[in-house]
Amino acid sequence: MSLFDHKISELHSLLHKKELRVEDLVEESYKRIGEVDDKVGAFLALNEDKARAYAKELDGALGTKDSFGLLFGMPIGVKDNIVTKDLRTTCSSKILENFDPIYDATVVNKLRSAEAVTIGKLNMDEFAMGSSTENSGFKVTKNPWNLDHVPGGSSGGSAASVAAGEVPFSLGSDTGGSIRQPASFCGVVGLKPTYGRVSRYGLVAFASSLDQIGPITRNVEDNAYLLQAISGLDPMDSTSANVEVADYVSALKEDVKGLKIGVPKEYLGEGVDEEVRQSVLDALKVLEGLGATWEEVSLPHSKYALATYYLLSSSEASANLARFDGVRYGYRADNAENLIEMYKQTRSEGFGDEVKRRIMLGTFALSSGYYDAYYKKAQQVRTLIKKDFEDVFEKYDVIIGPTTPTPAFKIGEKTNDPLTMYANDILTIPVNLAGVPGISVPCGFSNGLPLGLQIIGKHFDERTIYRVANAFEQATEHHKEKPAL
């Protein structure tokens, strides 16, 4: 049994009884990385010297103080688009392959305040653009359940590292499903918080109106601990919301009796695998048995979400990625004859195909003559999608459906068909467009590959999501399964 099979609360109990040291936890993490990461490929950079030194410092504090951080001594992996001072941050792109930040992201500072130990940086799709972690500029991460399959993306390294037992939990980022989809594919728990719940300061921007940092863990309780630690208003982020942070951990004690669940017919329709559909219906029966009720509802504008998302996110990406020009930091092309040539060569050599594709789409959508037809129209449809959710939430407490339409696909299966790859996020994208929170929890298997149940809540009502997710987890065994690496 791995130490990471214990929950945070259980590990804290062992630490305070002096039956375990923080150094043991950190060594467990690096030992496991040494055993399996050559197969999985989750980590890009390790923080070994500083992590071990900090673990020793925390062990020394165990008998000398009365209060401890919420994540005291817990090893954590951080997605490589979250900046970490003096620890290389590349966004899995060659254009940033030598970038060592001079400051920490707000969430990294909050992890330090909570006394967590940063183990290293995790692989991802380049600049968070992708659904499979095949778009990394450095290596392909593999699904611990079956190494021939993708772990999902863009937070594939974050989900795979937790599923493989390399760290007990990790941070990812979610722009159109990039936490929930890999969590589903890897059989772990992943939450995208309400937009504005967690500071984006220090998250390298892909699409600023959609990006949100969130936790990936092995169980719902740990997820609540991690969100509690990283949430809150941040003066460094103008989109950070001044909304009180609820006590997410205490929500886990509440049952779901009388809870009303809406199940969108659009989420169980065409394109959704029969086994995926059945796993959701089985999950609803479990929740019914716990006292909740459910009815079919409609989110009619969901069918436009995919097109809306790729127009808006690509438009924002084209603006955000203009800063990577070879002038101030990062990769710079050699032998350019003038400034314009240096820009062209740097961006041509530094960015991968998927990033270039989205920059071109976004620049086109924002260009003179096309702005009203594409970008403005997409913003109007986004408002309709948001209104769909508001209408359903007037009558229902949560919305439930599958996280992804299929289980994890094979590596290389969709790389030459970007439109099919994009469609993989069709069930997660509306949540980002509306800015509401959503969580994926394990709910079954198909041919040995995990399936995820998506639970969506009202703005800033992560408490209710955790309440439902925890009740379902406690009534089932799916989360106890582990890949046989």
Side-chain angles (χ1 to χ4, degrees):
M1 183 178 179
S2 166
L3 288 173
F4 301 153
D5 291 333
H6 294 285
K7 296 179 179 179
I8 291 174
S9 55
E10 294 167 345
L11 291 172
H12 278 171
S13 176
L14 292 171
L15 286 168
H16 291 307
K17 290 176 184 173
K18 299 288 183 77
E19 294 175 16
L20 181 68
R21 300 175 306 156
V22 177
E23 288 178 87
D24 297 329
L25 292 168
V26 170
E27 287 308 318
E28 175 98 356
S29 188
Y30 286 123
K31 177 173 174 280
R32 182 65 173 167
I33 291 168
E35 290 170 351
V36 303
D37 207 58
D38 59 333
K39 300 176 199 169
V40 176
F43 280 89
L44 288 177
L46 296 176
N47 190 38
E48 291 192 61
D49 292 344
K50 289 182 181 175
R52 288 191 170 100
Y54 189 40
K56 199 169 187 177
E57 181 185 323
L58 291 175
D59 280 329
L62 260 175
T64 61
K65 61 178 189 174
D66 298 324
S67 61
F68 297 89
L70 197 61
L71 306 175
F72 180 84
M74 298 297 111
I76 186 167
V78 178
K79 188 176 178 180
D80 202 36
N81 59 346
I82 299 170
V83 300
T84 42
K85 185 178 180 182
D86 300 327
L87 180 57
R88 189 148 293 177
T89 302
T90 69
C91 294
S92 288
S93 177
K94 291 188 176 175
I95 211 161
L96 281 176
E97 63 184 340
N98 296 316
F99 179 53
D100 294 316
I102 58 172
Y103 71 101
D104 281 320
T106 295
V107 289
V108 176
N109 284 327
K110 282 180 173 284
L111 289 176
R112 188 174 294 108
S113 297
E115 297 180 302
V117 182
T118 300
I119 294 298
K121 303 301 286 294
L122 294 158
N123 195 28
M124 55 184 280
D125 285 300
E126 184 181 6
F127 283 102
M129 297 180 191
S131 307
S132 64
T133 317
E134 293 171 285
N135 294 325
S136 169
F138 303 115
K139 61 181 175 182
V140 174
T141 299
K142 296 170 182 174
N143 192 318
W145 291 90
N146 186 326
L147 298 174
D148 293 330
H149 290 250
V150 302
S154 63
S155 307
S158 299
S161 65
V162 175
E166 296 175 305
V167 282
F169 44 74
S170 65
L171 288 184
S173 69
D174 193 311
T175 307
S178 288
I179 286 173
R180 289 158 292 149
Q181 187 250 24
S184 174
F185 279 6
C186 290
V188 292
V189 178
L191 176 118
K192 183 207 88 75
T194 307
Y195 184 79
R197 175 78 291 172
V198 177
S199 171
R200 291 186 303 110
Y201 179 72
L203 173 68
V204 179
F206 160 19
S208 305
S209 74
L210 298 159
D211 299 339
Q212 194 66 175
I213 297 169
I216 296 177
T217 60
R218 283 193 167 189
N219 57 74
V220 174
E221 182 181 305
D222 286 1
N223 208 278
Y225 268 94
L226 188 45
L227 184 65
Q228 193 90 46
I230 63 173
S231 293
L233 179 65
D234 179 17
M236 302 297 287
D237 174 13
S238 63
T239 63
S240 172
N242 189 10
V243 177
E244 186 180 352
V245 178
D247 184 347
Y248 301 125
V249 178
S250 70
L252 307 177
K253 299 170 187 170
E254 300 172 24
D255 61 36
V256 294
K257 283 177 184 167
L259 206 84
K260 292 182 178 177
I261 299 167
V263 181
K265 61 183 181 183
E266 294 83 2
Y267 283 26
L268 293 174
E270 187 181 349
V272 177
D273 272 13
E274 184 53 42
E275 284 180 295
V276 172
R277 185 186 291 107
Q278 192 56 51
S279 72
V280 172
L281 295 174
D282 291 344
L284 290 168
K285 284 179 189 170
V286 171
L287 291 168
E288 269 188 313
L290 296 171
T293 60
W294 69 272
E295 293 175 358
E296 188 180 86
V297 297
S298 180
L299 298 171
H301 294 96
S302 291
K303 60 186 174 184
Y304 305 117
L306 209 59
T308 300
Y309 169 81
Y310 279 100
L311 280 168
L312 295 178
S313 65
S314 298
S315 296
E316 293 183 25
S318 76
N320 280 327
L321 271 62
R323 71 194 69 176
F324 301 105
D325 54 14
V327 176
R328 300 169 193 80
Y329 52 82
Y331 175 78
R332 178 186 293 186
D334 295 328
N335 306 318
E337 293 182 6
N338 54 53
L339 185 64
I340 300 301
E341 281 301 310
M342 192 270 285
Y343 287 158
K344 285 182 181 177
Q345 287 182 32
T346 295
R347 289 166 69 80
S348 294
E349 295 167 17
F351 288 138
D353 289 345
E354 183 60 33
V355 174
K356 291 176 188 171
R357 186 182 290 124
R358 298 201 198 192
I359 289 173
M360 289 170 68
L361 173 62
T363 304
F364 174 78
L366 292 173
S367 61
S368 177
Y370 296 101
Y371 177 90
D372 285 351
Y374 293 108
Y375 182 77
K376 184 179 177 183
K377 180 65 72 177
Q379 289 286 27
Q380 290 169 333
V381 176
R382 181 181 189 170
T383 302
L384 295 174
I385 292 168
K386 183 170 178 282
K387 181 71 165 53
D388 284 349
F389 279 99
E390 289 169 355
D391 289 346
V392 171
F393 282 134
E394 283 182 7
K395 286 183 65 180
Y396 300 92
D397 299 297
V398 292
I399 293 169
I400 283 181
T403 307
T404 60
T406 66
F409 47 88
K410 284 191 172 181
I411 292 169
E413 189 179 318
K414 299 185 179 182
T415 47
N416 295 321
D417 188 356
L419 292 179
T420 303
M421 184 79 86
Y422 295 169
N424 203 65
D425 296 330
I426 197 164
L427 301 175
T428 52
I429 279 170
V431 173
N432 296 77
L433 291 170
V436 293
I439 196 171
S440 178
V441 294
C443 70
F445 291 86
S446 173
N447 296 320
L449 292 166
L451 303 174
L453 180 75
Q454 183 173 208
I455 305 164
I456 303 163
K458 302 172 186 176
H459 286 100
F460 299 103
D461 192 18
E462 285 85 357
R463 263 185 70 93
T464 301
I465 289 180
Y466 279 134
R467 185 176 145 201
V468 178
N470 190 61
F472 175 72
E473 183 182 86
Q474 296 306 306
T476 56
E477 301 288 317
H478 309 301
H479 65 289
K480 294 180 180 177
E481 299 284 336
K482 293 193 295 183
L485 264 175

